[in-house]
Amino acid sequence: MSDVQHFRPESVSSNAASSKPAAQPTASSKSTSTSPLIGFVSLGCPKNLVDSERILTQLRTEGYEIVPSYDNADMVIVNTCGFIDSAVQESLDAIGEALKENGKVLVTGCLGARDDEIREVHPNVLAITGPHAYEEVMSQVHEHLPKPELIPFEQLVPDTGVKLTPRHFAYLKISEGCNHRCTFCIIPSMRGDLVSRPVGSVLDEAKRLANAGVKELLVISQDTSAYGVDVKHKLGFWDGRPVKTRMLELCEALADLGVWVRLHYVYPYPSVDDVIPMMAEGKILPYLDIPFQHASKKILKLMKRPGSSERVLERVQKWREMCPDLVIRSTFIVGFPGETEEDFNELLDFLREAQLDRVGCFTYSPVEGAKANELPDPVPEEVKQERYERFMAVAQEISAAKLRARVGQEMLVLIDEVTPEGAVGRSYADAPEIDGLVYLTDETDVQPGDKVWVEIIHTDEYDLWGVRVEDDV
Ligand code: SF4
């Protein structure tokens, strides 16, 4: 797999959802329908992908048809990302392309919160809305394309809504916004403070997905461990029983669905200790995606991030004692303003000591509107790059050694793709799009979504190769 899949700050992915119109799997480019036709471009992180799914579901519910090309669409919606400069550029380019190819373009998503910036480059877009502004997007669509007449049974939307992920895994967004104010990030100014979804509604969605054949649920938010803080962990109801709006209770209920449950964007708070026993018992996957971002106390303070490396190391050690199979993925930023060689070495020491399984790294780049832009002592580009390379060399060494130790082990693998050359899947240790893969050379007698036991026979820095030994029962 390419390196790019390993580089991701906590709130942006390697653009898993990026696509030309439309990402909707059943759409055909030559439609005979009389319904208005909409093209859809979805950019950015899994959280944005979930927003796209929600808009597409609403469009389909109202009878609009989603088409995979610009030319026969009556309008194109571009769901943008605005997290880092390269994402902003990609979003502006996508809007430009949609304008050139189609001409009628609605813009939504994170970059939509900075509409002046969009209008400066693309004054002709029809309308701009901010992130998770579903109702506004729909009212703009209605304004420019009249609501179609619904023909019963012809425009059926699946129970699970429109999904942009393959059938066997799905993102489950549990909240919007964030109460933190990390100085390098503008997400709170774009998406607002934390708003948790009602626990009953999250669990209803999870159950519908599991019933529809989803085998892996990826729990996402800006800060999963803060789930329910905004509603004081109030008691909700699901399946006739009370469930607290809190990460622990949510995980307990999700564990009952019998699918893989993987936690992303978890902060290393003491409350995380409570879910580790469930991981040790196999109720949810022993996998934690925790964006540590740095280890130097001074830099963490400048980033306005909680925690110190000693406390984090203690906690990681304790978790591993409780659950030896635990895999930890994280992301880091190198070259943050004020980072000295000493700070950077502290980070490398932390990395070696923590022995994190999956690690991504970014060189710091200023984001318009972020507080960190006011910090003194910027790190020169060539130093950032050199630190990035040193960081990744250590991370690769750790990853390669950890994967080597898996040779001879049997792992349960969820198949993602089958080609004439063989199958590709992932074990509990790897999340889709961002982590490694397990290759099953010549194995074609499986389907995406199958779970099979595999003996690991070979590894490299990021990926594993194995042979099938027995089906999951
Ligand atoms: S403010 Fe910090 S915790 Fe919140 S979304 Fe941004 S980076 Fe994540």
Side-chain angles (χ1 to χ4, degrees):
M1 64 185 295
S2 77
D3 277 356
V4 76
Q5 286 170 290
H6 293 271
F7 311 152
R8 183 195 57 154
E10 67 196 79
S11 301
V12 71
S13 78
S14 55
N15 201 12
S18 172
S19 56
K20 299 297 175 221
Q24 226 262 18
T26 54
S28 93
S29 56
K30 292 253 180 292
S31 175
T32 52
S33 162
T34 52
S35 303
L37 310 176
I38 297 187
F40 202 99
V41 180
S42 182
L43 301 166
C45 66
K47 280 149 280 193
N48 224 33
L49 181 77
V50 173
D51 287 352
S52 294
E53 291 174 341
R54 193 153 163 196
I55 297 166
L56 286 165
T57 300
Q58 190 56 35
L59 289 167
R60 293 280 287 118
T61 306
E62 292 188 9
Y64 292 94
E65 197 174 321
I66 313 302
V67 289
S69 65
Y70 292 115
D71 43 358
N72 62 352
D74 296 310
M75 169 195 285
V76 177
I77 301 176
V78 183
N79 189 9
T80 57
C81 173
F83 188 69
I84 51 175
D85 287 355
S86 58
V88 171
Q89 196 49 53
E90 188 183 14
S91 294
L92 290 172
D93 291 349
I95 298 166
E97 185 177 298
L99 278 168
K100 184 167 154 257
E101 301 291 332
N102 181 279
K104 285 182 88 178
V105 178
L106 281 187
V107 177
T108 185
C110 286
L111 189 61
R114 290 144 67 178
D115 55 349
D116 290 354
E117 217 172 304
I118 299 172
R119 291 239 179 249
E120 204 177 301
V121 188
H122 301 300
N124 295 333
V125 294
L126 293 176
I128 300 171
T129 67
H132 60 94
Y134 319 111
E135 287 83 11
E136 277 177 68
V137 174
M138 290 314 298
S139 67
Q140 286 300 333
V141 171
H142 299 153
E143 200 175 313
H144 296 281
L145 272 187
K147 253 190 185 186
E149 209 180 295
L150 267 178
I151 306 165
F153 309 118
E154 275 200 12
Q155 282 131 337
L156 290 181
V157 179
D159 231 17
T160 50
V162 175
K163 289 283 158 206
L164 297 176
T165 43
R167 247 178 77 95
H168 61 281
F169 70 81
Y171 294 104
L172 185 66
K173 184 147 88 169
I174 60 170
S175 60
E176 276 295 353
C178 180
N179 287 345
H180 297 284
R181 293 295 181 265
C182 303
T183 55
F184 54 82
C185 176
I186 52 167
I187 282 180
S189 68
M190 294 190 291
R191 294 199 168 228
D193 281 341
L194 175 80
V195 179
S196 299
R197 281 181 66 195
V199 70
S201 135
V202 173
L203 289 167
D204 276 345
E205 182 183 347
K207 192 174 177 179
R208 272 197 307 275
L209 290 165
N211 289 343
V214 163
K215 302 284 176 56
E216 177 179 11
L217 289 170
L218 301 123
V219 176
I220 56 165
S221 65
Q222 306 295 343
D223 177 2
T224 295
S225 25
Y227 178 59
V229 165
D230 54 317
V231 291
K232 300 193 172 52
H233 300 303
K234 84 169 176 201
L235 209 56
F237 278 90
W238 180 65
D239 239 8
R241 59 177 155 125
V243 184
K244 258 191 173 178
T245 315
R246 193 165 61 174
M247 182 171 75
L248 175 66
E249 283 79 359
L250 175 71
C251 289
E252 281 169 352
L254 289 173
D256 289 346
L257 297 176
V259 297
W260 280 6
V261 175
R262 192 184 292 282
L263 300 183
H264 287 279
Y265 316 113
V266 175
Y267 247 63
Y269 291 135
S271 61
V272 178
D273 296 0
D274 300 337
V275 296
I276 306 293
M278 296 179 62
M279 294 182 174
E281 288 167 34
K283 292 184 171 168
I284 61 172
L285 293 181
Y287 176 102
L288 277 175
D289 174 3
I290 307 183
F292 291 117
Q293 308 296 18
H294 215 282
S296 140
K297 212 174 192 164
K298 183 187 100 190
I299 298 298
L300 286 170
K301 203 162 164 216
L302 289 171
M303 289 177 164
K304 276 208 176 169
R305 301 279 299 181
S308 68
S309 56
E310 305 92 70
R311 229 172 308 144
V312 166
L313 283 172
E314 267 171 40
R315 191 153 285 141
V316 165
Q317 199 179 347
K318 185 171 151 197
W319 291 339
R320 287 201 172 124
E321 277 161 21
M322 291 161 82
C323 178
D325 287 338
L326 179 67
V327 157
I328 301 177
R329 122 167 294 275
S330 191
T331 43
F332 294 87
I333 297 173
V334 295
F336 192 75
E339 184 192 67
T340 59
E341 191 58 22
E342 201 184 334
D343 298 319
F344 177 68
N345 282 326
E346 220 179 296
L347 173 58
L348 288 187
D349 290 345
F350 170 82
L351 191 58
R352 287 193 189 98
E353 193 135 349
Q355 290 285 304
L356 302 178
D357 301 78
R358 295 290 188 187
V359 170
C361 180
F362 269 89
T363 55
Y364 172 76
S365 76
V367 175
E368 208 186 307
K371 280 266 173 234
N373 300 352
E374 295 156 24
L375 292 172
D377 306 320
V379 176
E381 280 310 316
E382 61 281 8
V383 177
K384 282 186 199 169
Q385 194 53 36
E386 184 254 346
R387 286 183 187 163
Y388 166 81
E389 277 155 27
R390 279 158 67 200
F391 180 98
M392 285 313 290
V394 175
Q396 268 183 21
E397 218 177 278
I398 295 168
S399 173
K402 288 208 148 210
L403 293 188
R404 243 188 336 266
R406 294 214 181 263
V407 172
Q409 283 182 13
E410 287 184 11
M411 302 186 85
L412 190 58
V413 168
L414 177 62
I415 302 296
D416 281 327
E417 199 189 340
V418 185
T419 69
E421 287 77 46
V424 187
R426 292 169 294 107
S427 74
Y428 80 92
D430 293 307
E433 312 290 349
I434 52 173
D435 292 333
L437 297 168
V438 182
Y439 291 97
L440 282 80
T441 312
D442 296 333
E443 178 59 69
T444 51
D445 190 20
V446 282
Q447 299 290 326
D450 286 351
K451 282 187 194 156
V452 292
W453 282 99
V454 169
E455 184 187 335
I456 303 302
I457 52 167
H458 174 71
T459 58
D460 67 9
E461 290 94 341
Y462 299 120
D463 300 324
L464 307 94
W465 282 257
V467 287
R468 186 168 165 189
V469 285
E470 185 194 326
D471 283 350
D472 182 25
V473 280

